[in-house]
């Protein structure tokens, strides 16, 4: 099979000097996660842990903790900035590419497959406990959960955290209004108490990136991987679930998602840098079949405090999707879009806009907050003029200092929040206020502040004397 998979990605990272293999034996309980997090916080490489306890399956961590790694996954120029990768994403995702299928007997993911008592995830998969106060071992961090709308053909693939309750029982946390939650709500309305689900790990590295993207209703992430890759994914039909799953996944866990008889799940050390709160009732997977490739590699994300894997992922996929949405709305003049990984990759977005008419910047601010990407979790939209790239943070701060005025900013009192926002009281996190921080010069001003520019002729003259001035060695031009 020629399609890209996690092994292709590992090989590519290794060639680029972006991956280190750890052969020493490590413990799944805290040790593995702490090694990964400490390495990530020092801008370390992606890691393959080849010996986790007595497990045969190895673990891949820190897949996306830099723009370069994301560029390699996307097949983009390796020197691209996050903003340039977002542009790449926005362009490619306009053209979905549907997957193709092979039979399940040909699919690598079924090279090893277990049912009944043997389908016990803890027997096979080195699931880590990442943080001391986590409710347990979390299998779903770099996870892609496949479900189907009970009323249509809509297949969704989403990333939602999953806690191991025991080897046959896995909690799942699709938050309110997420696509798989909509499938669950529809199933409940039909009187169902379970729906089939498949938990997928590995396959094309873009699957996890797209599964954690808010594409909006009705779109299938498999088509978006095809769009980004410009070639179809190869799927097969799940032997237990009947759902489409990637033929080259490393690990697939199939079962029934129990949607009424909920179980307490959490807490978990979340991407905000805080634990998610006290345990709360969640849906759970009754595991029926565990399958994996020969020499499987199990991917994880350390989640937790910024700035690591999940923050880069969110910064990329949210900026790319939002940029595409603003284009779909036919809003002119968008120069660049940037979600700050340091601000968790989701709460703060900067948009650079070339204003062409009165109220243009304000239109962009409101469009961001009304979009599929921007309506959820974004609290601050910072607008800057087109002369400032959205990711040029020193100049963004300069614009905030010199072009914004508090009474030209808008506070929106009610908008959709995320249950994980620690700035809100734990029992009131559905709704948040939002702010459009307008740091643009008002378009309608006849007399705009005069920018200081250097005299171009004098610049040339000074450059020609740079060596004579003794500056060439200390400050090459
Ligand atoms: C590592 C990681 C963990 C995540 N965990 C959750 C989670 O537990 N629950 C949730 O609703 N969203 C979670 N998200 C965000 C969702 O993946 C994201 O909102 C995505 O759009 C969900 O897919 P959907 O739009 O198809 O519902 C997580 C994202 C990442 C990258």
């Amino acid at each position: 099979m020629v399609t890209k998979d996690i092994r292709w990605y590992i090989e590519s990272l290794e060639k680029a000097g972006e991956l280190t293999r750890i052969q020493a034996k490590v413990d799944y309980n805290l040790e593995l996660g702490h090694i990964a997090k400490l390495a990530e916080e020092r801008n370390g490489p992606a890691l393959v842990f080849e010996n986790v306890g007595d497990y045969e399956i190895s673990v891949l961590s820190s897949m996306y903790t830099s723009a370069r790694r994301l560029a390699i996954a996307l097949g983009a120029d390796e020197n691209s900035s996050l903003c340039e990768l977002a542009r790449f994403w926005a362009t490619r995702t306009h053209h979905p590419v549907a997957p193709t299928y092979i039979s399940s007997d040909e699919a690598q993911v079924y090279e090893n497959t277990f049912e009944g008592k043997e389908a016990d995830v803890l027997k096979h998969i080195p699931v880590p406990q990442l943080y001391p106060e986590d409710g347990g071992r979390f299998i779903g961090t770099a996870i892609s959960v496949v479900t189907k709308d009970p009323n249509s053909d809509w297949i969704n693939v989403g990333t939602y955290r999953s806690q191991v309750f025991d080897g046959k029982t896995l909690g799942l946390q699709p938050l309110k209004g997420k696509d798989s939650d909509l499938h669950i709500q529809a199933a409940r309305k039909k009187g169902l108490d379970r729906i089939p689900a498949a938990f997928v790990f590995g396959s094309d590295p873009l699957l996890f990136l797209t599964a954690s993207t808010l594409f909006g209703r009705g779109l299938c992430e498999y088509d978006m991987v095809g769009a980004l890759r410009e070639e179809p994914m190869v799927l097969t039909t799940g032997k237990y679930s009947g759902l489409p799953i990637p033929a080259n996944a490393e690990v697939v866990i199939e079962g029934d998602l129990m949607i009424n008889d909920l179980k307490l799940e959490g807490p978990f050390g979340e991407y905000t840098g805080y634990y998610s709160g006290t345990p709360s009732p969640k849906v759970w997977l009754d595991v029926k079949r565990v399958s994996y490739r020969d020499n499987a590699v199990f991917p994880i994300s350390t989640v937790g405090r910024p700035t690591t894997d999940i923050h880069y992922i969110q910064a990329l996929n949210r900026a790319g999707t939002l940029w595409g949405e603003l284009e779909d709305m036919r809003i002119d003049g968008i120069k660049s879009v940037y979600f700050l990984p340091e601000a968790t990759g989701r709460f703060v977005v900067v948009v650079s806009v070339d204003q062409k008419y009165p109220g243009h910047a304000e239109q962009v601010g409101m469009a961001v907050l009304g979009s599929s990407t921007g309506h959820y979790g974004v609290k601050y939209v910072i607008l800057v003029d087109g002369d400032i790239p959205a990711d040029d943070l020193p100049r963004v701060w300069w614009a905030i200092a010199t072009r914004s005025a508090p009474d030209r900013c808008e506070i929106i009192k009610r908008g959709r929040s995320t249950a994980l926002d620690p700035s809100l009281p734990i029992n009131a996190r559905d709704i948040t206020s939002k702010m459009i921080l307008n740091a643009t010069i008002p378009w309608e001003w006849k007399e705009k502040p005069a920018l200081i520019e250097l005299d171009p002729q004098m610049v040339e003259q000074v450059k020609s004397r740079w060596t004579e001035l003794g500056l060439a060695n200390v400050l090459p031009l």
Side-chain angles (χ1 to χ4, degrees), residues 18 64-74 77-83 85 312 316:
E18 289 276 343
Y64 301 120
T65 51
S66 68
R68 183 160 185 241
R69 260 168 253 168
L70 286 164
I72 292 171
L74 285 162
D77 179 344
E78 288 182 21
N79 298 315
S80 306
S81 65
L82 267 182
C83 245
L85 294 177
Y312 276 92
L316 168 68

Side-chain angles (χ1 to χ4, degrees), residues 141-142 156-161 173-175 178-180 208 211-215 221 270 301 303 310 313-314 318 346 376:
T141 52
N156 187 68
V157 189
T159 297
Y160 318 108
R161 79 183 192 207
Q173 181 194 244
L175 293 169
K178 295 295 176 83
D179 289 348
S180 140
F208 173 36
S212 52
T213 303
L214 276 168
F215 280 116
E221 286 71 10
E270 274 293 350
S301 169
V303 194
I310 183 168
I313 294 171
Q314 299 196 129
R318 273 156 181 73
R346 92 181 285 180
Y376 177 62

Side-chain angles (χ1 to χ4, degrees), residues 410-427:
E410 301 292 338
I411 290 187
I412 291 95
K413 290 213 175 116
R414 285 176 56 84
R416 188 173 173 200
S417 180
T418 156
L420 298 177
D421 182 352
S423 74
L424 297 167
I426 189 96
N427 53 358

